[in-house]
């Protein structure tokens, strides 16, 4: 009998930098390459070619991307660059003339073609090498669901439209089909992402499609309602978490879905600032008073809703009065999770030409003040949860210590992965595993995290 030996698979390594949207791009690229017969290498040494998916949003992120490219070239030598910084191919090639190819953000076909040129496939397409739901770079129990590309805003500090283009929404049936596959493959938590989730479908006039024998619009509220109908293998609804939600009026319509249990009571809203004068210079809507009223109405409908946001301090022209306005606004808004950033000029951004730059020392001082303020708010909110029983999704189960006790780390519905807090559990069962959703009694809290025990 003649035995035919298949040629060895070419292997691809991946370094993925930047935001969750870039992570989804990396997952799609790897899924396509896996279907083309490529293997995946966990290190530089075993890779025939290395992909570096870059971030180009801030100058510091660009420098991190360039360092990653340099490391990949030093360790492997055969490097393809993609992602947001791919728009600056001349900068990359000037510093690293040996890169094999440079492509821009979400240019999947060009990346795959470049890999084919650098390390030709040897086995042809093998779709069965790809798991249901595609290859993932996140743990099995949560997945990012990207619903659109690009952005129609023209914020003065941002160059995302230059990097990723104008808003391009995916078909609603395609999004729901992907979500269904992810849940069927074990996803317990869907994190809906885009550059502007609230604007989903605007560019395609909220194009309706048939899904499960009914018509569904490409609209954030329709999408949220349909995602809430999905069921995991245990027959329960997955957590559905909305990120990058601009507070347009129709956002009010998703709050009742949280009260009904169809949507995780969590909104990630990029407020950026509260002072009307700063928001005007940022070219963002200045309706902070109305937002405070809406926060109150949302909490009346869904009392457990968690609001996360991020703010920029030290924006050009920001006065001490502007900054104090922001601190006072935060006192009233009582946001659950807050991130802050010192303003950093970005090449090509309109804000670079604004007068009255804020000195670096003042930026740092204001950054420390806003972090102290928001940490105090967070600590008080978490203290109020002591004694309550909350659903918690498990991210990691530890090893037994010398006494046989096992601990675990999870997250409440108020905590998104990577950016928010944790729930630390004591004395868990050895059968507990990542992805389990359990009821936890909160025993203690600090500024950012909860501590508790699983209900017997």
């Amino acid at each position: 009998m003649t035995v035919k030996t298949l040629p060895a698979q070419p292997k691809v390594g991946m370094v993925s930098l930047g935001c969750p949207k870039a992570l989804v791009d990396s997952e799609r690229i790897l899924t396509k390459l896996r279907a083309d017969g490529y293997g995946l290498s966990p290190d530089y040494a075993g890779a025939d070619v290395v992909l570096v998916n870059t971030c180009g949003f801030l100058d510091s992120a660009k420098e991190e991307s360039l360092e990653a490219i340099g490391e990949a070239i030093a360790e492997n030598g055969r490097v393809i660059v993609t992602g947001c910084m791919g728009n600056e191919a001349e900068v990359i090639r000037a510093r690293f003339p040996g890169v094999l190819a440079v492509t821009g953000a979400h240019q999947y076909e060009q990346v795959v073609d470049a890999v084919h040129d650098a390390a030709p496939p040897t086995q042809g397409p093998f779709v069965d090498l790809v798991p249901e739901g595609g290859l993932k770079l996140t743990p099995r129990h949560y997945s990012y669901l990207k619903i659109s590309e690009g952005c129609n805003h023209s914020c003065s500090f941002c160059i995302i439209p230059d990097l990723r283009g104008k808003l391009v929404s995916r078909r609603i049936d395609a999004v729901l089909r992907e979500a269904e596959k992810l849940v069927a493959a074990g996803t317990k938590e869907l994190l809906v992402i885009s550059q502007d989730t609230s604007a989903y479908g605007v560019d395609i006039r909220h194009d309706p499609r048939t899904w499960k024998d009914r018509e569904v619009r490409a609209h954030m509220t329709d999408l949220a309602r349909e995602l809430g109908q999905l069921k995991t293998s245990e027959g329960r609804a997955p957590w559905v978490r909305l990120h990058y939600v601009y507070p347009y009026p129709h956002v009010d319509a998703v709050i009742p879905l949280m009260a009904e249990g169809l949507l995780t009571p969590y909104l990630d809203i990029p407020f950026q600032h509260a002072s009307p004068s700063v928001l005007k210079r940022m070219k963002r809507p200045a309706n902070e008073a109305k937002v405070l009223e809406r926060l109150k109405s949302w909490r009346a409908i869904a009392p457990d809703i968690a609001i996360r946001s991020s703010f920029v301090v030290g924006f050009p022209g920001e006065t001490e009065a502007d900054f104090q306005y922001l601190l006072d606004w935060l006192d009233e808004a009582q946001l659950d999770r807050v991130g802050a950033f010192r303003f950093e000029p970005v090449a090509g951004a309109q804000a670079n030409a604004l007068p009255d730059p804020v000195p670096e020392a003042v930026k740092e001082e204001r950054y420390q003040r806003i972090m102290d303020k928001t940490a105090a708010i967070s600590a008080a909110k978490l203290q109020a949860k002591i004694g309550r029983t909350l659903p918690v999704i498990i991210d990691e189960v530890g090893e037994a210590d010398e006494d046989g006790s096992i601990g675990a780390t999870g997250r409440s519905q108020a905590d998104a992965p990577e950016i928010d807090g944790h729930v630390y559990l004591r004395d868990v069962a050895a059968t507990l595993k990542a992805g389990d959703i359990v009821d936890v009694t909160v025993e203690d809290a600090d500024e950012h995290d909860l501590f508790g025990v699983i209900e017997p």
Side-chain angles (χ1 to χ4, degrees):
M1 181 177 69
T2 302
V3 178
K4 184 178 180 180
T5 303
L6 290 174
Q9 285 181 318
K11 291 189 176 181
V12 177
M14 169 68 84
V15 178
S16 189
L17 305 173
C19 63
K21 294 175 285 294
L23 188 69
V24 172
D25 291 344
S26 296
E27 290 176 343
R28 290 179 178 173
I29 292 166
L30 291 178
T31 296
K32 173 58 177 151
L33 290 171
R34 187 69 172 138
D36 287 350
Y38 287 84
L40 306 181
S41 174
D43 52 40
Y44 292 119
D48 294 286
V49 63
V50 176
L51 298 177
V52 180
N53 192 358
T54 58
C55 178
F57 183 53
L58 298 172
D59 288 348
S60 55
K62 292 178 183 178
E63 188 56 38
E64 181 185 7
S65 295
L66 291 170
E67 290 176 2
I69 295 168
E71 179 180 325
I73 288 177
E75 296 291 332
N76 181 279
R78 297 174 57 76
V79 176
I80 293 170
V81 177
T82 187
C84 288
M85 201 180 170
N87 288 29
E88 300 184 41
E90 67 285 353
V91 173
I92 295 169
R93 290 192 181 280
R95 187 154 165 182
F96 305 109
V99 295
L100 301 178
V102 180
T103 71
H106 56 83
Q107 294 182 345
Y108 311 126
E109 292 182 5
Q110 292 93 322
V111 177
V112 171
D113 287 345
V115 173
H116 284 186
D117 290 340
T122 59
Q123 300 181 34
F126 285 91
V127 178
D128 59 345
L129 295 175
V130 181
E132 185 74 7
L135 294 184
K136 296 170 76 266
L137 298 177
T138 56
R140 183 169 180 260
H141 60 281
Y142 68 81
S143 301
Y144 292 104
L145 181 67
K146 185 157 65 169
I147 62 175
S148 64
E149 297 284 1
C151 179
N152 287 342
H153 295 284
S154 56
C155 302
S156 62
F157 56 84
C158 182
I159 58 170
I160 290 296
D162 296 329
L163 297 177
R164 290 183 169 262
K166 292 293 187 180
L167 176 70
V168 179
S169 300
R170 297 176 61 195
R171 285 174 43 160
I172 183 72
D173 53 343
V175 173
L176 292 172
R177 190 173 300 113
E178 179 183 351
E180 188 175 60
K181 287 182 177 180
L182 288 169
V183 172
T187 292
K188 306 292 183 63
E189 179 180 17
L190 289 166
L191 300 107
V192 179
I193 60 170
S194 65
Q195 294 299 146
D196 180 357
T197 295
S198 305
Y200 172 61
V202 167
D203 58 309
I204 54 177
R205 299 178 182 273
H206 301 301
D207 178 34
R209 295 282 172 167
T210 299
W211 174 254
K212 305 294 185 183
D213 299 322
R214 58 185 177 274
E215 188 174 86
V216 182
R217 297 176 305 154
H219 191 284
M220 184 179 74
T221 53
D222 288 38
L223 174 64
R225 188 177 298 108
E226 293 299 323
L227 291 175
Q229 307 297 325
L230 297 174
K231 292 290 184 286
T232 66
S233 58
E234 295 87 0
R236 64 192 301 172
W239 290 7
V240 178
R241 198 182 293 277
L242 298 182
H243 288 269
Y244 310 106
V245 176
Y246 282 72
Y248 305 148
H250 66 261
V251 173
D252 294 349
V254 304
I255 309 303
L257 301 180
M258 298 178 184
E260 295 172 29
L262 298 179
L263 196 64
T264 302
Y266 178 101
L267 281 180
D268 172 16
I269 302 178
F271 289 122
Q272 308 296 4
H273 213 281
S275 166
S277 60
V278 175
L279 289 169
K280 184 177 181 180
R281 287 193 293 276
M282 287 180 168
K283 295 190 175 180
R284 294 177 69 81
N287 57 353
E288 76 294 340
K290 189 173 182 180
V291 166
L292 289 173
E293 295 174 6
R294 292 172 73 197
L295 288 176
K296 291 177 183 177
S297 68
W298 294 350
R299 287 167 173 151
I301 296 168
D304 282 335
I305 187 172
I307 308 294
R308 134 164 285 282
S309 192
S310 55
F311 296 87
V312 177
V313 299
F315 192 78
E318 181 191 60
T319 64
E320 177 59 27
D322 290 326
F323 182 69
Q324 187 59 51
Y325 189 106
L326 171 58
L327 294 183
D328 293 342
W329 187 89
L330 286 167
D331 270 330
E332 190 163 355
Q334 290 289 299
L335 303 182
D336 299 82
R337 300 296 191 188
V338 171
F341 304 90
R342 308 162 189 83
F343 172 74
E344 182 179 324
V346 180
Q350 304 167 50
N352 300 345
L354 291 175
D356 304 319
V358 177
E360 292 300 319
V362 176
K363 285 184 195 177
E364 183 62 31
E365 186 263 347
R366 289 176 181 171
Y367 172 79
Q368 294 300 331
R369 285 162 65 191
I370 193 172
M371 295 310 293
D372 289 344
K373 167 73 69 177
T374 56
I377 292 172
S378 174
K381 281 180 163 281
L382 295 182
Q383 282 290 320
K385 295 183 179 182
I386 294 176
R388 292 187 58 189
T389 298
L390 305 173
V392 168
I393 189 167
I394 302 301
D395 285 330
E396 184 179 2
V397 179
E399 299 291 335
D401 62 18
E402 61 275 9
D403 298 323
S405 179
I406 302 174
T409 304
R411 289 174 290 107
S412 74
Q413 292 188 314
D415 303 303
E418 305 294 334
I419 56 174
D420 293 327
H422 298 92
V423 181
Y424 294 102
L425 306 177
R426 63 174 178 85
D427 301 329
V428 305
T431 54
L432 189 71
K433 60 185 183 300
D436 286 348
I437 297 176
V438 294
D439 291 327
V440 170
T441 297
V442 180
E443 299 177 312
D444 201 359
D446 59 21
E447 290 181 341
H448 303 292
D449 303 312
L450 298 174
F451 303 83
V453 63
I454 296 175
E455 281 282 280

